[in-house]
């Protein structure tokens, strides 16, 4: 399966990606983890990325896309992957579409884990990660029995440098402005499905497994996608995938009743942008206030 996990910081993407990775034996590709490893190893890429990460801003698309191109060339990604924390904005999503279209392996599912903002803040401030095995804990909701040691392997638990209140505020603002529009982007491609992410990890995981299995079942017997190649000579455009007689998901039927079978044409850019703005505003009126609350403006 080729999956993108969407959701705000703290929505549980990392935890759920690990569970999916074990279940389906495909790699979790977390750009956040790759970047943190580069920072820790003090590579040139890590040094370039560090300032943006510390400030809760996005690292440049150029760096992130180079990392993704390299990671996708590893043999373990040949049978699928779960992107966690990537793409983070529309240009990254378009570049990913173009990259996957070239190898004729388009995304099959964009899974949005929906969590309210107040809960996100609590999750982020309480989050602890095992340095050795990556197991995640939360001092408020799911603490380790061994306090600052991992229940599973005894490793040391770490509080991420960017999980402090000021950086969290920035990360949530960046999410709303740049990443949330991807929900509509993938809805327009009829591959978006949404799962409520407020329940226990096991319950969220069960809901996600069901969606993934449903999607996998529909993929079987689906005709191979014909891929429109980007125009030569001009600026590279994201290749659009024309899927004949693809079964539409519940989400797609609900969200876009007119686009039953396929994403034949991308919507004209202007219209899409207007729609996206309206949707973000409508979907999260409380969010803005809460984000402001989380990180009050300095005078
Ligand atoms: P995460 O672990 O996904 O929350 O990412 C931690 C930080 O890494 C983010 O706040 C960004 O600074 C950076 N980062 C991770 N993924 C991306 C991405 N796809 N594009 C740009 N920056 C990213």
């Amino acid at each position: 399966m080729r999956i993108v996990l969407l959701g705000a910081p703290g929505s549980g993407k990392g935890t759920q990606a690990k569970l999916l990775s074990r279940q389906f034996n495909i790699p979790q590709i977390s750009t956040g983890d790759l970047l943190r490893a580069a920072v820790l190893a003090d590579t040139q890429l890590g040094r370039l990325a560090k300032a943006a990460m510390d400030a809760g801003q996005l690292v440049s698309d150029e760096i992130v896309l180079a990392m993704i191109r390299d990671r996708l060339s590893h043999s373990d990604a040949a049978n699928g992957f779960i992107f966690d924390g990537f793409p983070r904005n529309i240009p990254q999503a378009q570049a990913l579409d173009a990259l996957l279209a070239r190898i004729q392996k388009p995304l099959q599912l964009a899974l949005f884990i929906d969590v309210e903002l107040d809960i996100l803040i609590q999750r982020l401030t309480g989050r602890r990660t095992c340095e050795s095995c990556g197991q995640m804990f939360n001092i408020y909701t799911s603490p380790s029995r061994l306090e600052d040691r991992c229940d599973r392997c005894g490793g040391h638990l770490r509080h991420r440098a960017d999980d402090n209140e000021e950086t969290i505020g920035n990360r949530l603002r960046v999410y709303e402005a740049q990443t949330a529009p991807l929900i509509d982007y993938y809805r327009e491609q009829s591959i978006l499905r949404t799962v409520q992410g407020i329940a226990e990890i096991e319950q969220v995981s069960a809901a996600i497994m069901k969606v993934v299995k449903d999607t996998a079942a529909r993929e079987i017997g689906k005709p191979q996608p014909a891929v429109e190649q980007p125009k030569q000579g001009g600026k590279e455009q994201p290749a659009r995938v024309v899927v004949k007689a693809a079964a539409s998901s519940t989400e797609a039927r609900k969200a876009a009743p007119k686009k039953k079978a396929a994403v034949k044409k991308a919507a004209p850019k202007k219209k899409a942008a207007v729609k996206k703005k309206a949707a973000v505003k409508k979907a999260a009126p409380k969010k803005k206030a809460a984000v402001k609350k989380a990180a009050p403006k300095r005078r």
Side-chain angles (χ1 to χ4, degrees):
M1 288 293 292
R2 297 180 294 276
I3 304 170
V4 160
L5 283 188
L6 290 175
S11 59
K13 294 188 304 294
T15 303
Q16 296 299 336
K18 282 187 181 63
L19 294 172
L20 276 174
S21 167
R22 268 179 235 151
Q23 173 81 18
F24 292 95
N25 197 27
I26 47 176
Q28 167 200 14
I29 302 181
S30 157
T31 40
D33 285 350
L34 292 172
L35 287 165
R36 274 184 292 277
V39 171
L40 209 67
D42 199 25
T43 63
Q44 195 195 0
L45 190 147
R47 285 193 289 276
L48 285 171
K50 190 173 184 315
M53 292 174 78
D54 286 346
Q57 301 296 332
L58 293 186
V59 172
S60 80
D61 291 347
E62 203 187 346
I63 291 181
V64 171
L65 289 167
M67 237 166 47
I68 287 292
R69 269 191 291 274
D70 174 64
R71 184 61 188 83
L72 280 180
S73 68
H74 296 197
S75 59
D76 66 340
N79 292 328
F81 42 77
I82 303 146
F83 281 127
D84 156 19
F86 174 84
R88 265 317 217 271
N89 57 23
I90 298 281
Q92 288 184 12
Q94 289 174 331
L96 176 65
D97 279 349
L99 186 62
L100 296 179
R102 245 177 269 139
I103 54 173
Q104 306 212 357
K105 288 187 172 172
L107 283 176
Q108 293 162 313
L109 175 64
L111 208 147
F112 170 47
I113 306 178
D114 196 5
V115 176
E116 280 169 29
L117 200 83
D118 297 358
I119 294 171
L120 293 174
I121 292 168
Q122 195 195 35
R123 283 188 181 177
L124 289 167
T125 50
R127 186 155 72 174
R128 300 290 182 274
T129 314
C130 174
E131 277 179 355
S132 308
C133 71
Q135 178 71 27
M136 290 165 106
F137 298 91
N138 189 291
I139 57 170
Y140 305 118
T141 55
S142 52
S144 166
R145 286 189 304 267
L146 307 172
E147 289 207 11
D148 59 348
R149 295 264 153 200
C150 173
D151 271 355
R152 216 164 92 181
C153 73
H156 185 254
L157 299 187
R158 185 175 50 86
H159 189 198
R160 266 173 55 171
D162 59 352
D163 276 349
N164 63 72
E165 283 207 14
E166 189 179 339
T167 311
I168 287 170
N170 280 343
R171 286 159 67 202
L172 293 172
R173 272 189 289 272
V174 166
Y175 169 78
E176 186 153 335
Q178 301 199 44
T179 312
L182 293 177
I183 296 167
D184 275 354
Y185 179 85
Y186 289 119
R187 182 178 283 134
E188 282 163 15
Q189 292 192 7
S190 301
I191 59 168
L192 182 81
R193 299 290 302 271
T194 301
V195 164
Q196 293 306 316
I198 310 169
E200 293 293 315
I201 290 174
E202 293 75 20
Q203 285 170 288
V204 177
S205 171
I208 288 178
M209 294 297 169
K210 186 175 179 322
V211 169
V212 175
K213 282 177 183 164
D214 284 354
T215 308
R218 275 203 310 274
E219 290 291 317
I220 297 170
K222 195 169 157 182
Q224 284 295 305
V227 179
E228 291 175 13
Q229 295 301 330
K231 276 179 194 159
Q232 285 192 345
K235 202 180 161 196
E236 188 178 66
Q237 294 293 322
R240 291 188 296 260
V241 178
V242 183
V243 182
K244 289 167 206 150
S248 58
S249 65
T250 316
E251 176 73 38
R253 278 201 297 277
K254 228 172 39 185
K258 281 177 194 162
K259 292 175 193 165
K260 267 189 190 161
V263 186
K264 285 194 176 160
K265 271 185 185 173
K269 274 191 181 167
K270 273 189 188 167
K271 270 191 187 171
V274 172
K275 260 201 234 160
K276 272 169 211 157
K277 271 196 182 163
V280 172
K281 266 193 189 163
K282 221 171 136 190
K286 278 185 204 163
K287 288 186 181 173
K288 276 194 179 161
V291 173
K292 270 190 197 153
K293 230 167 123 191
K297 276 186 188 164
R298 290 185 173 169
R299 283 184 197 178

